[in-house]
């Protein structure tokens, strides 16, 4: 057991840092800095993806033969940390982190050949069509029906909460292909082109007054059967494989430490109520320290999981644990940030933080993002399997209750 | 000990409750919050006619002579409907400060206009350097002949954009954080040298940042004695805090009940999600948090009648308890609503944002915890 960092990793960090310094324009950094959701500004995120793709770094977590980097877990973590430090826009996850790995794991050769390069290049923009009005936590009860019609399906139904469907040209869906069996057994994983006739997209406006989610309606939409990933009626297996990536593919601690640094920077600039700066206020700084200690624990929990598994393996039910910790800690950090900015969290200025908006605003720039982040981050314990559902998984799978 | 309402109090509560039920549903509120002004002048007239605008003022000044208990009862109702009309800024922060500091003539002309619904006020006291501590005042008022000249900047002034007149705290002497040397001036909101930047707040209300650049005020518009205004400013901020606490309790009442109703009807896994014990316990905790908070506004409203120190301690205690409870209840309400809680569609999100803003106003939990320990 030791914590020494091999010299080649230091060299790697320097290489990443230099690349980011050379390639991140002010415009791109602004998008990263002002982002208030895990889903960053589409235009800038995609522009950054193109730059990364040219360098071969768009999908560090993919196997090398499909266009990944071949980095080990430590290198991937270094890349993630440096990207955060440099305010790089985050990759939009639906293609690179969800649909891509799924096609890699369960797709046909044709699907791999066709879709993977288009995901890497950003030519295809994917959204995730799982949830329905009646099927949230109980995903297996989904009703969107794909009726067989020769070598096509005719799809009818409604998907909801579909993040960025209004930007997407593709959607990966779970649809029902058999109604006469256990709910999990009649589900198929289906790739659908958003430009197919019969699809309509309606906006859902969030608490933070931003449009991220949508409702997607399918009215007699014809989809080739060749677009099934895995086997017909075996979509639940594919979905579970993907969920592991959605939950376990990411490490939370680096972003959490980054968020805490930002809170400390705010505290150093804000005034205290009883003299000095907020950073001199013991009550506040102790709360920051408490969260930092918990994040440190999570960092080492994540490291232990990583070390035990090596690269490429799925952490299984333990991913539920890091999802619970990572999301709840991120909520506490956004809570510290709204406390730190005080009354300047109140002005409704979400328009001013849209990249390139150039609108006048009141208060310091760092206050602009605090409230929208606090509001938006409430969703992290709801999506990707709610934290109640995750606790249920641990109770069952880990504790055997 | 008796927590029953008097006949008069019951009438007041009923009259507010009836109006809000009939004329102030969520859609109405949402439209008002989005309108240009951010509230309804017609409603304001109605409130004047119903006598609500007179509640905080003494009978001598043409008011109803309401106590902190009346104030609390009234604002709990307002909180349930998230009323957007600027009652706290105009009546308490503005009107009550005039009542405490003003001359007989100022009280007569200004308070009757307030009570009749013809005057909108705002208290411009908070500054960036102050973080809600009214004793920290960087804005200066320099004597120049028989006038004063104001310079400085005030932030997130509630009702600052719609106000006809501003009550401005400014330093006539002393160091930036000295308790002595703070004065209150009454200025026309459109006076030369005043620059107001108005905006909506996250909870659907309105505020403004206000810059004062060489603003001339005649000595006649100094409220009370020069340099001796802090105590009165603190008193109205405390009354406003109490009213705001009562609104937060009203909001919590709606949030926990809405969540319980939602969990009774939302089905997953073939059963209402309210059947899951893990969610039941959390709703029980929301219920308990609301009860505890309600007890705290009763406590604070009653102790506030026992003198300044008792009032300060009790109101800080209430702000701490209700700050913590309302945050918890708000967060749980969103979580238990799932995706629906994250939308701009349901009222629960609006209540959540309202209580989130609540904590930041007039000093947050940490501020009042500190003040609580400082008061004997
Ligand atoms: C911002 C955001 C983005 C999203 N993006 C997408 C997307 O791109 N694509 C997509 O398909 N979906 C997306 N979702 C949907 C998300 O996956 C669902 O919201 C989630 O699965 C919860 O479902 P629900 O909203 O229907 O809540 P419900 O399932 O109705 O849950 C309501 C509450 O009950 C709790 N609960 C439910 N069942 C149990 C149980 N058995 N035990 C204990 N508690 C329980 C939940 O934890 C929650 O607190 C998104 C959601 C949000 C908020």
């Amino acid at each position: 057991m030791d914590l020494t960092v091999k010299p080649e990793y230091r060299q790697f960090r320097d290489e990443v840092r230099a690349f980011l310094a050379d390639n991140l324009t002010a415009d791109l950094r602004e998008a990263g800095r002002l982002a208030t959701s895990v889903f960053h500004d589409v235009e800038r995120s995609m522009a950054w993806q193109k730059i990364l793709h040219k360098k071969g770094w768009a999908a560090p977590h993919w196997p090398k033969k499909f266009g990944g980097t071949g980095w080990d877990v430590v290198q991937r973590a270094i890349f993630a940390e440096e990207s955060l430090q440099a305010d790089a826009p985050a990759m939009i996850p639906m293609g690179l982190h969800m649909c891509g790995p799924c096609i890699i794991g369960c797709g046909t050769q044709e699907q791999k050949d066709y879709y993977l390069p288009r995901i890497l290049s950003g030519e295809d923009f994917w959204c995730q069509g799982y949830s329905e009005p009646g099927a949230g936590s109980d995903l297996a009860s989904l009703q969107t029906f794909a009726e067989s019609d020769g070598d096509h399906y005719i799809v009818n139904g409604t998907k909801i909460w579909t993040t960025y469907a209004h930007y997407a040209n593709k959607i990966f869906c779970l649809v029902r292909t058999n109604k006469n069996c256990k709910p999990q057994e009649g589900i198929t994983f289906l790739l659908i082109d958003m430009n197919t006739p019969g699809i309509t997209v309606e906006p859902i406006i969030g608490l933070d007054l931003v449009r991220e989610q949508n409702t997607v309606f399918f009215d007699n939409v014809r989809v080739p059967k060749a677009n099934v990933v895995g086997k017909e009626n075996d979509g639940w297996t594919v979905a579970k494989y993907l969920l592991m990536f959605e939950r376990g593919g990411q490490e939370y601690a680096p972003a959490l430490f980054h968020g805490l640094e930002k809170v400390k920077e705010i505290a150093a600039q804000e005034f205290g109520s009883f003299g000095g700066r907020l950073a001199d206020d013991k009550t506040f700084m102790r709360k920051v320290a408490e969260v930092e200690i918990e994040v440190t624990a999570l960092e080492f929990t994540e490291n232990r999981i990583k070390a035990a598994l090596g690269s490429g393996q799925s952490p299984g039910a333990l991913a539920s644990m890091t999802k619970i910790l990572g999301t709840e800690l991120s909520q506490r950090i956004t809570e510290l940030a709204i406390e730190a900015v005080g009354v300047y969290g109140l002005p409704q200025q979400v328009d001013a933080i849209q990249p390139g908006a150039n609108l006048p605003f009141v208060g310091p720039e760092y206050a602009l993002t605090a409230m929208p982040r606090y509001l938006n981050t409430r969703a992290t314990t709801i999506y990707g399997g709610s934290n109640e559902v995750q606790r249920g998984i641990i109770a069952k799978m880990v504790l055997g209750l | 000990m008796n927590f029953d309402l008097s006949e008069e109090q019951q009438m007041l509560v009923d009259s507010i409750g009836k109006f809000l039920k009939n004329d102030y549903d969520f859609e109405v509120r949402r439209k008002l919050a989005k309108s240009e002004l951010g509230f309804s002048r017609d409603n304001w007239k109605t409130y004047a006619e119903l006598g609500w605008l007179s509640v905080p003022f003494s009978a001598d000044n043409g008011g109803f002579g309401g106590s902190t208990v009346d104030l609390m009862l009234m604002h709990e109702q307002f909180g349930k409907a998230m009323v957007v009309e600027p009652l706290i800024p105009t009546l308490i922060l503005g009107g009550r400060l005039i009542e405490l500091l003003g001359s007989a003539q100022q009280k007569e002309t200004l308070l009757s206009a307030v009570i009749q619904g013809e005057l909108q006020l705002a208290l411009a006291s908070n500054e960036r350097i102050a973080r809600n501590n009214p004793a920290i005042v960087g804005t200066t008022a320099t004597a120049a002949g028989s006038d004063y000249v104001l310079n400085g900047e005030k932030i997130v002034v509630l009702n600052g954009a719609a106000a006809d007149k501003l009550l401005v705290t400014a330093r006539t002497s002393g160091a930036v954080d000295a308790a002595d040397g703070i004065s209150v001036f009454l200025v026309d909101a459109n006076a030369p040298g005043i620059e107001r930047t108005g905006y909506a707040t996250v909870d659907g209300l309105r505020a403004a940042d206000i810059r004062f650049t060489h603003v001339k005020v005649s000595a006649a518009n100094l409220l009370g004695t020069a340099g001796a205004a802090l105590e009165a400013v603190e008193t109205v901020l405390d009354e406003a805090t109490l009213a705001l606490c009562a609104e937060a309790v009203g909001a919590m009442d709606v949030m926990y009940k809405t969540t319980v109703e939602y969990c009774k009807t939302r089905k997953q896994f073939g059963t209402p999600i309210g059947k899951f014990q893990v969610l039941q316990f959390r709703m029980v905790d929301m219920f308990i948090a609301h009860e505890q908070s309600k007890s705290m506004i009763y406590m604070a409203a009653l102790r506030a009648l026992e003198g300044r120190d008792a009032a300060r301690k009790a109101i800080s205690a209430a702000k701490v308890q209700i700050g913590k409870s309302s945050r918890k209840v708000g967060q749980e309400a969103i979580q238990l609503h799932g995706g629906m809680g994250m939308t701009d569609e349901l009222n629960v999100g609006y209540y959540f944002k309202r209580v989130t803003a609540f904590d930041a106003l007039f000093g947050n939990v940490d501020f009042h915890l500190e003040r609580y320990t400082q008061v004997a």
Side-chain angles (χ1 to χ4, degrees):
Chain A
M1 239 188 238
D2 70 81
L3 290 172
T4 42
V5 179
K6 291 194 206 129
E8 56 262 39
Y9 287 132
R10 249 178 253 132
Q11 219 177 328
F12 177 75
R13 193 181 286 277
D14 290 342
E15 187 195 339
V16 170
R17 206 173 275 178
F19 174 78
L20 295 174
D22 289 346
N23 289 279
L24 273 171
T25 60
D27 189 47
L28 293 174
R29 287 176 199 266
E30 185 194 54
R33 195 175 69 244
L34 297 182
T36 56
S37 161
V38 295
F39 308 106
H40 285 204
D41 176 68
V42 168
E43 203 184 302
R44 275 132 189 112
S45 178
M46 296 315 285
W48 180 231
Q49 183 177 325
K50 285 211 164 64
I51 295 169
L52 288 176
H53 178 49
K54 229 175 110 196
K55 174 85 177 165
W57 287 2
H61 53 297
W62 287 16
K64 203 165 165 104
K65 66 170 170 175
F66 297 117
T69 52
W71 293 340
D72 64 19
V73 280
V74 180
Q75 286 173 307
R76 269 149 52 185
I78 289 171
F79 179 70
E81 279 163 30
E82 289 299 321
S83 298
L84 280 165
Q85 284 302 332
D87 287 329
M91 294 297 95
I92 312 272
M94 284 81 76
L96 289 168
H97 291 263
M98 299 179 184
C99 193
C102 201
I103 291 173
I104 290 171
C106 311
T108 62
Q109 193 56 45
E110 291 78 56
Q111 287 169 342
K112 287 176 191 158
D113 292 344
Y114 180 76
Y115 289 112
L116 296 180
R118 295 166 68 98
I119 291 175
L120 285 172
S121 69
E123 189 173 350
D124 281 343
F125 191 110
W126 286 90
C127 63
Q128 179 189 29
Y130 278 22
S131 308
E132 298 182 5
S137 298
D138 182 15
L139 188 56
S141 69
L142 61 92
Q143 298 297 325
T144 295
F145 191 63
E147 192 177 2
S148 178
D149 181 30
D151 55 3
H152 278 71
Y153 293 112
I154 315 279
V155 179
N156 280 287
T158 305
K159 294 293 179 183
I160 195 170
W161 314 121
T162 325
T163 302
Y164 282 1
H166 51 307
Y167 297 112
N169 66 331
K170 305 274 179 193
I171 180 168
F172 58 96
C173 286
L174 292 179
V175 296
R176 185 156 300 288
T177 35
N178 187 353
K179 293 178 181 171
N180 307 313
C181 54
K182 273 174 60 184
Q184 285 86 341
E185 287 165 10
I187 293 171
T188 298
F189 192 103
L190 193 59
L191 309 175
I192 303 179
D193 194 314
M194 290 291 280
N195 298 316
T196 322
I199 298 181
T200 41
V201 177
E202 278 180 15
I204 299 173
I205 306 300
L207 274 183
D208 52 4
L209 306 186
V210 176
R211 175 184 184 183
E212 277 190 346
Q213 280 70 49
N214 299 274
T215 312
V216 182
F217 300 93
F218 297 84
D219 179 16
N220 290 319
V221 176
R222 281 178 69 80
V223 183
K225 284 189 174 166
N227 288 8
V228 171
V229 177
K231 293 196 203 74
E232 188 180 76
N233 294 325
D234 199 25
W236 197 248
T237 314
V238 184
K240 276 203 292 198
Y241 177 85
L242 200 163
L243 268 181
M244 282 302 142
F245 265 94
E246 193 178 344
R247 287 180 200 145
Q250 98 204 76
E251 273 183 279
Y252 288 93
L256 297 172
F257 280 126
H258 186 65
L260 280 166
E261 282 316 305
K262 297 275 162 191
V263 170
K264 288 187 205 166
E265 283 170 24
I266 296 173
Q269 291 173 73
E270 283 289 313
F271 293 85
S273 296
F274 304 97
R277 298 282 164 161
L278 184 60
D280 305 319
D281 179 335
K282 279 225 165 68
T283 314
F284 183 75
M285 294 313 286
R286 281 200 171 122
K287 288 192 289 192
V288 176
E290 251 181 78
V291 176
E292 190 172 289
I293 289 164
E294 289 196 44
V295 175
T296 306
L298 174 59
E299 180 192 17
F300 274 74
T301 299
E302 288 181 330
N303 285 341
R304 278 174 48 222
I305 293 174
K306 250 185 334 200
L309 292 175
S311 68
Q313 268 174 286
S314 161
L318 288 182
S320 292
M321 175 169 70
T322 54
K323 198 262 174 178
I324 292 168
L325 290 164
T327 53
E328 291 175 11
L329 286 166
S330 78
Q331 291 180 339
R332 280 172 64 190
I333 292 168
T334 61
E335 205 170 307
L336 289 169
I338 54 166
E339 282 183 30
V341 301
V343 288
Y344 267 134
L346 268 51
Q348 174 61 259
Q349 310 189 93
V350 78
D351 291 343
I353 45 174
Q354 303 317 311
N358 270 326
L359 294 170
F361 56 86
V362 297
E365 192 201 68
Y366 59 66
L368 287 176
T369 48
M371 184 60 74
R373 273 186 195 144
Y374 174 71
L375 298 175
N376 192 287
T377 303
R378 305 313 311 166
T380 61
T381 49
I382 295 170
Y383 62 52
S386 77
N387 285 22
E388 288 74 28
V389 167
Q390 306 292 355
R391 285 183 164 87
I393 290 172
I394 296 177
K396 201 167 149 187
M397 312 295 282
V398 182
L399 306 184
L401 294 168
Chain B
M1 202 169 283
N2 159 20
F3 293 111
D4 298 336
L5 305 192
S6 70
E7 211 172 299
E8 262 183 336
Q9 287 168 336
Q10 194 62 56
M11 271 169 58
L12 180 68
V13 169
D14 289 348
S15 116
I16 298 175
K18 193 169 144 219
F19 171 82
L20 296 177
K21 186 158 178 266
N22 295 334
D23 297 295
Y24 219 96
D25 68 20
F26 176 58
E27 283 311 317
V28 170
R29 194 268 184 192
R30 174 150 53 183
K31 278 212 189 81
L32 286 179
K34 280 194 181 140
S35 68
E36 170 101 30
L37 182 65
F39 66 91
S40 155
R41 292 213 191 267
D42 287 345
N43 282 347
W44 197 254
K45 270 272 153 239
T46 306
Y47 301 168
E49 281 156 20
L50 291 168
W52 302 347
L53 305 188
S54 76
V55 171
F57 305 110
S58 75
D60 289 349
N61 295 319
F64 172 86
S67 66
T68 41
V69 175
D70 300 306
L71 189 71
M72 177 267 287
L73 293 171
M74 198 159 95
H75 282 274
E76 187 185 3
Q77 298 300 315
F78 292 140
K80 285 184 188 173
M82 289 186 291
V83 166
V84 291
E85 280 70 34
L87 292 141
I88 291 177
T90 295
L91 301 184
I92 303 174
L93 295 171
R96 281 282 295 141
L97 193 55
I98 292 169
E99 182 164 55
L100 290 176
L101 289 178
S103 66
Q105 206 214 328
Q106 282 165 333
K107 284 193 259 192
E108 193 179 318
T109 51
L110 297 167
L111 292 185
S112 64
V114 166
I115 290 168
Q116 281 162 33
E118 284 157 4
L119 186 65
Q120 286 291 345
L121 300 172
L123 171 63
S125 75
N126 199 16
E127 302 184 7
R128 235 190 123 185
I129 58 168
R131 183 168 280 263
N132 296 305
N133 184 345
I136 299 179
V137 178
T139 299
T140 53
T142 321
S146 63
D147 292 337
Y148 284 92
V149 177
L150 299 183
N151 279 292
E153 192 172 353
K154 301 291 186 178
I155 63 167
V156 196
V157 176
L158 300 180
N159 201 33
D164 305 304
K165 287 187 185 296
L166 306 172
L167 293 98
V168 188
T169 61
R171 195 157 278 293
T172 38
S173 65
V176 132
D177 58 352
D180 287 335
I182 297 168
S183 308
V184 173
F185 294 89
L186 185 72
V187 297
D188 230 26
N190 293 313
I194 295 183
E195 194 191 322
R196 291 189 285 175
T197 309
Y199 42 80
T201 52
V202 65
D203 55 345
L205 303 190
R206 295 299 160 100
D209 277 21
I210 309 181
R211 189 193 296 276
F212 300 85
T213 315
H214 301 305
V215 177
K216 262 199 188 156
V217 199
S218 91
N221 284 324
L222 169 69
L223 284 189
T225 316
L230 182 61
E231 192 170 317
V233 171
E234 284 180 344
T235 301
V236 298
L237 283 169
D238 280 348
E239 288 175 10
T241 305
L242 177 66
L244 203 65
C245 282
E247 290 191 12
V249 173
M252 285 163 76
D253 184 56
V254 177
M255 278 193 290
Y256 95 75
K257 285 180 179 155
T258 306
T259 304
V260 169
E261 277 317 303
Y262 186 78
C263 291
K264 280 182 184 168
T265 50
R266 169 70 174 166
K267 284 192 176 155
Q268 287 290 276
F269 304 99
T271 172
I273 58 175
K275 290 280 171 212
F276 298 126
Q277 196 175 41
V278 65
L279 300 190
Q280 287 177 354
F281 281 16
R282 284 159 67 176
M283 285 184 274
V284 169
D285 287 342
M286 291 166 79
F287 163 80
I288 292 173
H290 169 257
E291 288 296 328
Q292 285 280 82
S293 298
K294 186 152 179 151
S295 301
M296 281 310 260
I297 46 164
Y298 278 33
M299 180 284 295
L302 291 165
R303 293 262 158 85
L305 304 169
E306 294 171 1
R308 186 176 150 81
D309 276 352
R312 281 166 75 73
K313 188 147 191 154
I315 289 169
S316 277
K319 189 75 167 44
V320 169
Q321 173 77 36
I322 296 166
K324 292 200 307 197
S325 294
S326 65
R327 179 174 290 185
K328 189 82 201 142
V329 169
Q331 292 175 346
E332 292 286 62
I334 301 294
Q335 182 68 22
L336 268 51
H337 274 79
M340 286 309 293
M342 287 304 299
T343 66
D344 186 50
E345 266 160 62
L346 295 194
N347 69 2
V348 64
Y350 285 71
Y351 284 96
F352 171 63
K353 289 192 271 188
R354 181 83 184 113
V355 296
T356 302
F358 160 79
D359 184 50
L361 289 168
F362 311 141
N364 67 3
V365 168
D366 287 356
F367 176 91
H368 282 280
L369 209 49
E370 176 62 27
R371 211 184 72 159
Y372 182 87
T373 60
Q374 283 176 10
V375 182

